[in-house]
Amino acid sequence: MAGGGKRRGLSKSCALLIVMAGIERYAFKGVASNLVTYLTDVVKMSNSRAATTVNTWSGFTFMLPLFSAPFADSYGDRFFTILASSSLYFVGLVGLTLTAFAGSRSTTKTISIFFLYTSLSLVALGLGVLNPSLQAFGADQLDHDLGHDHEQDQEPSSENKEVESDRKSQFFQWWYFGVCAGSLLGVTVMAYIQDTFGWVLGFAIPTGSMLLLIFLFLCGCGVYVYADQGSHLKSRPFQRIFDTIKGVVTRRSKITLENNHDLNAMELELQGKPLCNCSNTEATTTTTNTSTKSLAGDESSKTGLSSLKTIKLLLRLLPIWTMLLMFAVIFQQPATFFTKQGMAMKRNIGPNFKIPPATLQSTITLSIILLMPLYDKVLIPMAKKISKNEKGITVMTRMGIGMFLSIIAIVIAALVERKRLKISKEMKTSPNTTEPLSIFWLLPQYILLGISDIFTVVGMQEFFYSEVPVRMRTMGFALYTSVFGVGSFVSAALISVIESYTKSRGGKHNWFADDMSEARLDNYYWLLALTSAISFLMYIVICKYFKSSSDEDEDKCDETS
């Protein structure tokens, strides 16, 4: 895979961080996948309040990287950030375990809601900071393996580009495999333990997993590569953005460079620009007496323009980001209403074993693991031959296919729920009616969501990573996760508004009634299908006019050549 003197395979530090990513997903899924059951059965929340709580918590978790990433990219020490956030994550899980223990020991079986929410907030805060920092720290190890010199942006040869591309692909594939493996174990094993052996053990095991993660992370101190993020201005894009905004607000008329190191750093940055970028030629025609002054002013204006350009680049991604929100709303359903749907269905396998409804979420991960090779080895080569495109299908097309499949999945969910309600009503009117609908009727909607994940979620990662500047790697991950964060808040808001409206029309019309024979989740699913279809059509229109940053750079180079 590697050429020349390059080492084959991933380094020890990359492999260790991939294992840690899998452990983190195991801990998170061990809590999140079955949390709605804990809130309804143990904490005694209503279906709607439990779903709103889970969605709000998920939204908070996924939104935090959007705020933590700028500081991690600009000022943060990633090693310390990972250690601090994982410790906070661990404390939150300890608190969650204590709530379950207190509830089991209390004669009234009551749980402090304040302590529960505090524990969940600590988990969300730790996870929101840990995830982007861990992946960016892994990318730092990969950059070192590839021999990148961050002080100089030299253009690699075509052979080295191919080697780097293969190594990056290998790293992200193994990273994704580690995340999927951890998610699969968390959903299947922990859901069974929680339903069979209780919630104290069900929360204590993820807590122990996070303690293991911290231990492994500290064991790797001797093999990690520590990137110097603050060595020069180019490695701190958000610091430049903050400085630019500050300068505009305070109406600074002049920006000065503090020392020769800053001037040299800016010179290196300008030298690293592509040849097709236009430069201010007037600076070269000034007299010797004013050359230093002109250069400083030119460098400062370049820095300001670069920062404003970065802000503009992020804003131009907003339409695509917005259209992906309904996909994220649909993706919240397996951990909330799909699970509640399964609890009202026949779950027996044999006389003694019942399927925990949350374990069906494992089919999403299994679909990804089993079908990802089919996507890479069969679908993409076929698409390359048909479309004559090097990538087979573009990233935008890939995301669109996943959005369309998620709409089909929610339509199937609505049809299955309507069938379940019909059988439930027949059982009430006629005692001799056939048994309730089997939980396996839910498998198609889970599997389709897994297939849509392969297209949209992986496409989103590639899209946001490729559209932001290379020095904003953590921000690229944060933009991707923020889609699911805002999507969770949108889902929670939809539930609150719909419940408020349907409750006002009488108890029998409440879509989220605690009695699943009276609830109308099918109507909710149809509403999600309709809004997602509208969002998908708008996405198609936006894609026709959207131009990626790489295409714009090529056009500029063509114009100047």
Side-chain angles (χ1 to χ4, degrees):
M1 190 119 101
K6 300 263 184 207
R7 180 176 65 253
R8 291 178 180 270
L10 297 175
S11 66
K12 291 180 180 179
S13 58
C14 285
L16 181 59
L17 292 171
I18 288 171
V19 171
M20 289 172 54
I23 294 174
E24 184 280 314
R25 281 295 91 183
Y26 173 78
F28 175 71
K29 286 294 184 179
V31 172
S33 62
N34 212 17
L35 184 59
V36 70
T37 306
Y38 177 71
L39 295 178
T40 54
D41 292 0
V42 180
V43 188
K44 304 302 179 184
M45 288 186 181
S46 65
N47 287 343
S48 57
R49 187 184 176 188
T52 301
T53 300
V54 173
N55 285 327
T56 304
W57 177 67
S58 299
F60 184 47
T61 302
F62 286 118
M63 280 296 294
L64 270 174
L66 196 62
F67 301 101
S68 64
F71 298 98
D73 273 335
S74 303
Y75 303 101
D77 180 337
R78 284 187 182 134
F79 179 86
F80 175 77
T81 302
I82 292 170
L83 183 60
S85 58
S86 58
S87 300
L88 197 62
Y89 195 158
F90 171 72
V91 172
L93 288 175
V94 169
L96 194 60
T97 306
L98 290 177
T99 64
F101 180 76
S104 66
R105 300 285 292 181
S106 173
T107 55
T108 58
K109 303 296 182 183
T110 56
I111 292 175
S112 170
I113 298 298
F114 174 78
F115 194 69
L116 173 66
Y117 284 169
T118 301
S119 301
L120 288 174
S121 298
L122 288 175
V123 171
L125 186 61
L127 176 60
V129 178
L130 173 64
N131 254 345
S133 300
L134 188 63
Q135 190 163 18
F137 194 58
D140 288 341
Q141 315 305 308
L142 180 65
D143 284 346
H144 180 266
D145 290 348
L146 297 174
H148 285 181
D149 185 359
H150 290 288
E151 296 297 323
Q152 294 180 356
D153 290 332
Q154 297 177 353
E155 187 68 21
S157 64
S158 58
E159 183 180 352
N160 286 338
K161 279 184 177 180
E162 186 177 350
V163 171
E164 290 183 11
S165 178
D166 290 341
R167 290 286 292 279
K168 286 179 181 178
S169 177
Q170 183 188 23
F171 172 75
F172 285 110
Q173 282 179 5
W174 276 107
W175 186 280
Y176 195 63
F177 176 80
V179 168
C180 287
S183 299
L184 181 61
L185 288 174
V187 169
T188 52
V189 175
M190 293 316 305
Y192 175 76
I193 290 175
Q194 288 159 358
D195 283 9
T196 307
F197 299 102
W199 293 96
V200 177
L201 182 62
F203 287 150
I205 293 176
T207 305
S209 299
M210 278 307 301
L211 186 62
L212 175 63
L213 183 148
I214 295 171
F215 174 74
L216 290 176
F217 183 64
L218 291 174
C219 287
C221 288
V223 297
Y224 297 137
V225 173
Y226 303 94
D228 183 8
Q229 292 177 273
S231 58
H232 55 82
L233 292 178
K234 188 174 180 181
S235 67
R236 298 181 296 178
F238 276 97
Q239 182 179 339
R240 303 206 320 263
I241 294 176
F242 296 151
D243 290 344
T244 301
I245 294 174
K246 184 178 178 182
V248 171
V249 171
T250 57
R251 295 186 178 181
R252 286 182 177 178
S253 59
K254 182 167 69 174
I255 305 174
T256 59
L257 298 175
E258 294 181 0
N259 50 46
N260 290 333
H261 175 74
D262 290 338
L263 180 59
N264 293 335
M266 288 190 177
E267 286 176 352
L268 282 174
E269 181 175 353
L270 290 179
Q271 291 169 9
K273 299 288 183 182
L275 291 176
C276 60
N277 283 3
C278 298
S279 59
N280 187 356
T281 56
E282 291 180 7
T284 60
T285 61
T286 56
T287 62
T288 306
N289 293 334
T290 59
S291 59
T292 304
K293 200 172 184 179
S294 299
L295 179 60
D298 188 56
E299 302 294 347
S300 299
S301 63
K302 289 286 183 182
T303 306
L305 287 173
S306 176
S307 302
L308 292 173
K309 197 173 182 181
T310 302
I311 298 172
K312 184 179 177 182
L313 185 146
L314 295 176
L315 290 176
R316 69 191 285 272
L317 300 178
L318 186 60
I320 298 291
W321 183 91
T322 304
M323 292 306 106
L324 290 166
L325 289 179
M326 283 311 301
F327 172 83
V329 171
I330 290 177
F331 230 81
Q332 295 304 313
Q333 305 315 307
T336 53
F337 289 125
F338 282 12
T339 299
K340 295 300 297 181
Q341 199 176 355
M343 292 179 69
M345 302 174 80
K346 182 185 176 184
R347 300 184 283 133
N348 294 77
I349 296 181
N352 300 319
F353 182 75
K354 277 190 175 183
I355 300 174
T359 59
L360 286 190
Q361 295 175 47
S362 64
T363 57
I364 296 178
T365 308
L366 277 173
S367 300
I368 296 169
I369 294 175
L370 296 176
L371 296 178
M372 183 67 83
L374 185 66
Y375 174 87
D376 288 330
K377 303 299 182 183
V378 178
L379 182 60
I380 291 301
M382 288 177 58
K384 285 180 179 179
K385 290 181 180 180
I386 295 172
S387 64
K388 306 298 183 183
N389 188 306
E390 291 183 0
K391 288 188 175 182
I393 58 175
T394 64
V395 175
M396 308 291 285
T397 304
R398 182 173 186 167
M399 291 191 294
I401 293 172
M403 292 171 69
F404 178 75
L405 290 176
S406 70
I407 297 171
I408 302 299
I410 205 67
V411 167
I412 291 175
L415 294 174
V416 171
E417 177 63 8
R418 179 165 292 183
K419 184 176 181 66
R420 186 194 68 81
L421 284 172
K422 183 181 178 182
I423 294 176
S424 178
K425 289 177 180 178
E426 288 175 353
M427 287 181 65
K428 282 188 174 183
T429 57
S430 176
N432 296 323
T433 310
T434 57
E435 293 182 335
L437 198 63
S438 170
I439 195 173
F440 292 111
W441 278 84
L442 299 180
L443 283 178
Q445 63 205 54
Y446 279 102
I447 293 172
L448 269 177
L449 280 181
I451 299 173
S452 70
D453 191 300
I454 295 173
F455 286 92
T456 301
V457 176
V458 180
M460 285 165 61
Q461 292 178 348
E462 183 178 348
F463 174 76
F464 287 115
Y465 265 91
S466 61
E467 291 299 326
V468 300
V470 69
R471 301 290 176 174
M472 296 165 63
R473 182 179 286 130
T474 315
M475 188 60 186
F477 180 80
L479 284 171
Y480 149 67
T481 57
S482 67
V483 173
F484 293 94
V486 177
S488 298
F489 287 127
V490 171
S491 180
L494 270 176
I495 293 170
S496 299
V497 171
I498 291 170
E499 185 184 32
S500 177
Y501 175 72
T502 55
K503 258 189 174 181
S504 64
R505 299 175 59 201
K508 290 186 177 180
H509 295 92
N510 185 4
W511 288 7
F512 309 117
D514 292 338
D515 184 354
M516 291 299 291
S517 63
E518 297 293 338
R520 294 306 306 268
L521 291 180
D522 57 328
N523 289 343
Y524 177 62
Y525 293 154
W526 285 119
L527 177 64
L528 292 184
L530 176 62
T531 51
S532 297
I534 295 172
S535 181
F536 174 66
L537 292 175
M538 294 178 66
Y539 173 82
I540 294 175
V541 174
I542 292 171
C543 285
K544 288 184 178 180
Y545 298 98
F546 183 84
K547 204 167 191 179
S548 69
S549 56
S550 58
D551 292 338
E552 288 184 349
D553 290 340
E554 289 177 4
D555 291 344
K556 288 179 182 178
C557 289
D558 291 339
E559 289 174 3
T560 55
S561 59

